[in-house]
Each structure stands twice: as C-alpha cells, then as structure tokens.
Amino acid sequence: MAAVASQKEKLVIIAMKGHTCTGKTRIANVLAQKFECRVIDLDDVYDCFSDHMIIQQQQQQQQRQLQQQIVQCLDRSFESVCRIAVKQLELIPVSKNKTTIIDSLLLLQSHMERLLVISKSIGARLVIVECRAREKYEWEQRFIRAQKRGTSSSTSYCSYKPSTWKDIQLETTRLGKYEYDTSEDVSKLVVDTTKHFKDSRLCYAVELLCKYKMNLSMDLQAGAGDSYQVVHKLTLSNDENDGGSGSSSSSSSRVVVSCRACLKSISSGPSYNCSHCDLSLHKLCAELPDKKQLLPHQNPPFVDPNSHKFIFPETHRCKFHPEGFDSTCHDCAFESNLRCALVPTVVYLECHQHPLFFCMISTRNLGHNSHFQCHACGNVGGEAFYACQAPNCGLILHVNCALLPPTREDIHHRHHLSLTPPPLPPPHDDDDDDDDSDEYYCNSCEETRNPRHWIYYCEKCEFASHLYCDGFSPS
C-alpha cells in the first residue's frame, strides 16, 4: 500500500567488520552512544564457550583438534550473537530506536551469510561498517600498544585472534581484504581508522545508510563523508483508499504516514513514495503543477546568487539535525524546499519519456566532486539537479534547464520553438576532423552549437536555437 509503512522496516542491525586492532570496538561504542543502543561483543560470548574447550584440551593434547574446536566455538559464538541481536530487537519498545550493534571480525563469508538470513527473517536493515587500517605502520604500533595493555587478544590460549603482528600479516595474506559479495540488501561504510575523522561525520554516514533502502557503498575518506546525497526515486500510486483502513489485523502492524511537504496525512488519492527511504508526498505536493518556470540565467529560488549558499523563506531541519537547520546539509535543504514548495520534487518533460527527480547537494562539497555536467546545456553545475533514474538513461539537468518552458518564441522566427533534445549522438569520423560538413549552427545568433546539447527547434522550418540564446522570448 502506498501510504502505509511496516514496523519491520524500522529494525536495524549494524555489524562491525575488520581485523584485530583496526578500531572496531571504539567505533561500535561511538555508534551505540549515537543510536542509544547496546553493543553485542563476540568476544564476550566466545570466552564463555572457550572455558569448556580448556577442559577438553587438557584431555586431548592435540593441536589439530584444538584448531577444530576453535572454529566450532567461533561459529557457535557468532550464532549466539545473532540470536541475542534478534531477541534484543524484539524487546525494544516500538517508541524507541530499534537498533542493535554486533562487534565481531565478520571475516568469514559463512558468518556474513548467516547474518543476512537472520536480518531478512525479521525484516531488519543490515548495515556493515568495515574498519580498515591502510597505514600498516600505525596499525602495527596500535597492535603493540594493545599487547602491552593486554587487550589485543583473549587471555585464553584458545583465542581465535592472532597473537603476534606476524600472525596478522599471515592472516591478511591468506584471507585477502575480505571483499566477498554482501548481497544487494546490504549497505557498507568503509572507514580507514589510521586516518583522522570526526565521530559526527562517521555517525552521519551510518545514519544515511540506515535511512535509505537502496544498497549504498561508501568510503568515509574517499570524498566528503558528510555530504553524501541520494536521489529519491518516487513511484506514483493511484490508490484511492489507502490510509490503513483495511482489516484490523493489518492496521495493527501498519501506520498511516504523512506527506512530508504539507504534513497532512495521505489517506486517499494518488501519492508518491520513495523506494529508497520513508519519503511520501501527495501527488500535487510533489509535482507542484502551478510552479513558476525559470528563465535563462535566472538562479533557482533557493540559491543565493553571490555566495551560492542555500537560502529559504523559512528553514526546516532534517532528521539528522534535531538541534536545528544546518545550512550546509543537503537533507535540511531538501526538507526546506519541500515545505516551502519552491521547486517540484518530480518533473515531467514533454520531450523526455521518464520522470525526473530532484536532488540537492551539500554545500560542504561544492568545489570538490559534487559538480556535474548538465546534459541539456553542457555547462557544469552544483547545488541541485534533476536526474532520471530509468535504466540506461542517466539524464542530469540543471534546475533551470529542467524548468524551462516547453515552447518559446524567437525574435528571428515566426513560429513557436519547442524544447528538443538531440535524437541520437551525431556521427563522428575520427579520420575527418577537418571536415566542416558536420558543424552545427544556431539560427538565432548564427554561432556554432554543440549537436549533443538540447535546443529550441521548429521542426517545420528546421530552425534551431541555443537554449539560452539572446533571441529568447517566453511564449
């Protein structure tokens, strides 16, 4: 149903992954404080099982049997941890944050597969936080310090963890980087714990992975870790009576959701729902049929033309900033745009067969890797864009280009011109680069134009004009 959400979607399991002394436990504790949940440590469970192994080892005195018992003990310990996690989520009240954290190496694919089965059985969102130590010297020094404190491994000689730095190197070589398939239902954050990072940045990235339903893979140090953004993929539902008015058995496990733009409940009528997160919008609130079209070189209404920072008539915070609106957060900006109804979230163009979805970019990342090239005008953009998510399409447009009028008049032509994308990439002959026969011109200004860019076009007269040519006159 379009306007309801299952309680199961709120369950989250965060699983740590990585070698000994890569900082998993510290990060797990940081996340536990942020999410107000508990950490289930594999070592605590393993120590209970290994006490029984010591008695058996005194009787057997065979190293090979000891190794087999260690593997069996590790498997049983991980199974116990998974069951504890499930029970913990069941006991957490609905009003609380239903999240739990598992602190283990998670280096065996069999353990990952078991975790997938457990999470799917209860409908939980599974997020992997993988800790890597890319600076080997710093990692080795960290291991030596842990040995001196007596915290690098279990006090039992039956420990499954490497006892020396050489053992860690051998284990790394033997098992590689542990890049096994984590399934399409799992998101992962990779953290280089030998590099400096802010805990708030870490928590923000994990919150994004917990929020979105789609599979995401992030590296905290690969870019601006606090400026990730995801284009909402909205699907339209035409259900007319959809607000949890079904049977009492179904209504007990489902709740009516509200439109994030107008804050009114979505009880009937068409609505949009995001397949990546919990965003829901009335059809009218998403499409804004009375929206104002933008003229060439006109800044979007939410961008300051001088500072290029977000500006809104009124600001609204996102779920990641309960303390208030953050002017550099793309989620806060997206939320403010929804509430202020400045530009539509979904756009349909007469010249494109798929809907376009709105996305805002964090100003923290402007000037770095957030820039994109608009497929309509060919210029570089930032701040925000409209994107098509249809397979094999990948269309990205400036807000201005997406909101251009479908037709316009031109002072150099008597007919109306229609907004027109190029039908196909023009032919290109690498052996004939000096041939002028492939040059394309704008009939308004008589300057050359790029045939891969969109134009305003009169099909009857074959009159083509730049999108932003000086002859522009709105119809």
Side-chain angles (χ1 to χ4, degrees):
M1 305 294 282
V4 295
S6 173
Q7 293 288 355
K8 285 187 175 182
E9 295 178 356
K10 297 182 179 180
L11 303 179
V12 177
I13 297 177
I14 300 175
M16 308 303 299
K17 180 177 183 286
H19 285 288
T20 302
C21 289
T22 53
K24 298 186 306 301
T25 299
R26 192 197 77 82
I27 290 181
N29 291 330
V30 169
L31 295 175
Q33 184 176 5
K34 173 64 179 180
F35 288 93
E36 298 181 348
C37 62
R38 297 184 181 276
V39 177
I40 306 174
D41 195 332
L42 178 69
D43 290 348
D44 295 336
V45 180
Y46 182 88
D47 288 342
C48 296
F49 281 102
S50 63
D51 289 342
H52 177 63
M53 288 174 51
I54 295 174
I55 298 176
Q56 290 185 335
Q57 174 61 15
Q58 291 175 349
Q59 298 173 353
Q60 296 169 355
Q61 297 295 325
Q62 293 184 14
Q63 184 65 26
R64 182 176 180 181
Q65 290 181 343
L66 174 61
Q67 293 300 323
Q68 292 176 349
Q69 290 178 24
I70 289 177
V71 173
Q72 293 175 359
C73 180
L74 186 59
D75 290 340
R76 292 171 183 172
S77 300
F78 190 80
E79 177 65 24
S80 300
V81 165
C82 290
R83 296 189 182 187
I84 293 172
V86 172
K87 180 58 66 176
Q88 199 174 80
L89 290 174
E90 291 177 353
L91 296 176
I92 298 176
V94 176
S95 59
K96 299 294 184 179
N97 186 11
K98 298 177 78 67
T99 302
T100 189
I101 300 175
I102 296 177
D103 183 10
S104 72
L105 299 182
L106 201 60
L107 302 181
L108 300 179
Q109 186 169 1
S110 59
H111 290 181
M112 182 68 215
E113 292 172 351
R114 181 56 182 158
L115 195 56
L116 281 168
V117 172
I118 291 292
S119 60
K120 288 183 178 180
S121 67
I122 61 174
R125 172 77 167 153
L126 179 59
V127 175
I128 306 299
V129 178
E130 181 173 350
C131 298
R132 295 182 182 177
R134 293 190 172 107
E135 295 291 336
K136 302 303 180 184
Y137 175 79
E138 177 59 32
W139 186 13
E140 180 180 5
Q141 295 303 308
R142 184 184 298 172
F143 179 79
I144 293 174
R145 291 193 297 268
Q147 276 190 319
K148 293 179 179 179
R149 295 193 304 266
T151 59
S152 62
S153 61
S154 172
T155 56
S156 168
Y157 65 87
C158 298
S159 172
Y160 62 93
K161 294 183 178 180
S163 57
T164 66
W165 176 248
K166 184 177 180 180
D167 291 339
I168 290 183
Q169 291 177 307
L170 292 175
E171 183 182 72
T172 305
T173 303
R174 180 170 57 89
L175 296 178
K177 295 183 179 180
Y178 310 98
E179 287 294 343
Y180 50 76
D181 184 15
T182 54
S183 165
E184 61 180 9
D185 299 324
V186 177
S187 287
K188 182 172 70 172
L189 175 68
V190 177
V191 183
D192 183 358
T193 57
T194 58
K195 293 183 179 179
H196 174 73
F197 60 88
K198 293 182 179 180
D199 290 345
S200 58
R201 184 177 179 180
L202 166 75
C203 294
Y204 183 84
V206 175
E207 280 184 303
L208 285 181
L209 294 178
C210 294
K211 173 184 176 182
Y212 293 109
K213 299 175 186 177
M214 65 182 295
N215 178 26
L216 295 174
S217 182
M218 299 179 177
D219 190 318
L220 194 67
Q221 284 89 4
D226 49 1
S227 60
Y228 295 115
Q229 51 273 324
V230 176
V231 181
H232 293 280
K233 187 174 184 179
L234 300 173
T235 55
L236 179 64
S237 171
N238 293 310
D239 294 343
E240 292 296 331
N241 191 8
D242 203 18
S245 58
S247 63
S248 59
S249 60
S250 62
S251 61
S252 61
S253 60
R254 295 175 178 268
V255 293
V256 178
V257 298
S258 299
C259 173
R260 287 258 291 276
C262 67
L263 303 185
K264 297 179 180 179
S265 63
I266 304 177
S267 57
S268 62
S271 63
Y272 283 96
N273 300 275
C274 181
S275 59
H276 297 166
C277 67
D278 58 357
L279 175 64
S280 295
L281 298 169
H282 289 115
K283 184 176 185 293
L284 290 178
C285 295
E287 297 180 2
L288 298 179
D290 58 345
K291 66 181 183 297
K292 293 183 179 180
Q293 295 170 338
L294 296 180
L295 300 180
H297 312 300
Q298 180 181 0
N299 283 296
F302 50 80
V303 175
D304 186 292
N306 298 319
S307 64
H308 296 284
K309 293 183 178 180
F310 295 135
I311 53 173
F312 299 94
E314 58 183 54
T315 57
H316 298 271
R317 62 177 177 81
C318 70
K319 63 181 295 185
F320 302 121
H321 294 92
E323 69 282 357
F325 175 82
D326 184 343
S327 61
T328 63
C329 171
H330 69 274
D331 269 322
C332 286
F334 186 87
E335 199 76 19
S336 297
N337 177 71
L338 281 179
R339 300 287 293 277
C340 297
L342 298 178
V343 297
T345 307
V346 182
V347 168
Y348 291 88
L349 300 180
E350 296 179 5
C351 59
H352 189 70
Q353 58 183 328
H354 310 129
L356 304 181
F357 302 104
F358 181 62
C359 180
M360 305 192 81
I361 299 176
S362 171
T363 54
R364 289 191 181 112
N365 206 27
L366 292 181
H368 296 85
N369 61 353
S370 65
H371 288 164
F372 63 91
Q373 186 174 26
C374 175
H375 291 169
C377 67
N379 295 327
V380 174
E383 296 107 9
F385 59 88
Y386 283 94
C388 178
Q389 292 196 350
N392 303 320
C393 183
L395 179 69
I396 297 179
L397 302 179
H398 286 121
V399 173
N400 297 60
C401 295
L403 299 182
L404 282 172
T407 62
R408 73 168 174 87
E409 295 178 352
D410 191 283
I411 60 176
H412 302 98
H413 194 67
R414 64 182 183 273
H415 299 139
H416 284 81
L417 306 182
S418 299
L419 186 64
T420 306
L424 289 173
H428 180 71
D429 189 353
D430 294 333
D431 297 330
D432 196 17
D433 291 339
D434 297 330
D435 187 0
D436 293 336
S437 62
D438 287 338
E439 289 188 354
Y440 293 77
Y441 289 87
C442 170
N443 296 113
S444 294
C445 64
E446 298 184 352
E447 298 289 339
T448 58
R449 63 178 178 86
N450 191 324
R452 291 175 174 83
H453 296 165
W454 291 24
I455 56 175
Y456 275 102
Y457 186 65
C458 175
E459 185 176 6
K460 181 179 180 180
C461 304
E462 296 185 353
F463 184 95
S465 176
H466 288 124
L467 286 184
Y468 298 145
C469 195
D470 292 338
F472 184 99
S473 177
S475 297

